[in-house]
Amino acid sequence: LPSGGPLLVDQEENLWLGTFEGVLHFSEPDAVIWTDRDGLPSRHTTFVARVQPAAADFWIATWQGLGRMVRTPRGWQAVYDRRMHAESVCPDSRGHTWSVTVGRIHEYSPSGVRVHPFPGLLWPGRCGVAPDGTPWMLTNLGILRVPKGTARVELVTGQLPIEPPYVPGA
């Protein structure tokens, strides 16, 4: 294998592995590697996450932008969404996906993209999802969250309880 990185198991129990050479798809009986030649923004995969909990599609975050793997009647297709790079993407309990970029938090939903301006926010921001589906974001401004069932981004604390490995501008 070219390297190891983020893992995702899809609804059909196939394994997807993000690497510095692309996204590898391990299915029975075949294994496939997906790269920029197949439609992804880049080979340098940093994060994978489901588009929404009930969907087969999922996000591929790379150094050069966000892509998606989409299930079509002809099989899997890599799609470059022409969106900015995100360190990580986080699906919430409503089927929306969140990412942090410079001065903005992006909310992706089945109906489109909503941008939440957030002055002073530096890129990239890491995020994670709590067991109840609440997205939490570690940023240079502190910890942000989107309370369950809302689309309101709120600053929980301006003081980080831990020293992050790397937060630009911190």
Side-chain angles (χ1 to χ4, degrees):
L1 293 177
S3 69
L7 295 170
L8 178 121
V9 176
D10 66 22
Q11 289 181 322
E12 296 168 356
E13 298 187 7
N14 295 305
L15 175 65
W16 296 82
L17 170 65
T19 76
F20 287 113
E21 294 296 324
V23 177
L24 282 68
H25 180 202
F26 297 95
S27 63
E28 291 296 329
D30 300 319
V32 179
I33 185 169
W34 298 86
T35 70
D36 51 337
R37 292 183 197 172
D38 303 299
L40 290 177
S42 157
R43 293 175 180 249
H44 303 115
T45 304
T46 59
F47 199 83
V48 292
R50 291 189 190 282
V51 171
Q52 50 183 321
D57 302 357
F58 56 93
W59 292 103
I60 306 289
T62 75
W63 287 353
Q64 283 72 33
L66 284 174
R68 285 185 302 146
M69 293 303 297
V70 178
R71 185 72 152 185
T72 70
R74 289 183 268 142
W76 287 101
Q77 179 180 356
V79 177
Y80 181 11
D81 276 358
R82 305 282 182 224
R83 295 188 171 102
M84 287 185 67
H85 163 79
E87 181 74 17
S88 57
V89 290
C90 296
D92 69 14
S93 59
R94 299 179 307 139
H96 294 205
T97 303
W98 299 81
S99 69
V100 178
T101 60
V102 178
R104 299 174 182 87
I105 297 173
H106 300 264
E107 176 186 4
Y108 307 99
S109 72
S111 61
V113 181
R114 182 175 174 197
V115 176
H116 302 266
F118 222 93
L121 192 60
L122 298 175
W123 163 92
R126 294 193 179 246
C127 64
V129 179
D132 71 353
T134 301
W136 291 80
M137 299 162 225
L138 178 63
T139 73
N140 62 297
L141 298 177
I143 298 175
L144 309 173
R145 74 172 176 181
V146 180
K148 189 174 180 177
T150 74
R152 184 182 73 249
V153 180
E154 64 182 26
L155 180 63
V156 175
T157 177
Q159 299 291 325
L160 297 178
I162 60 170
E163 183 64 31
Y166 173 70
V167 177

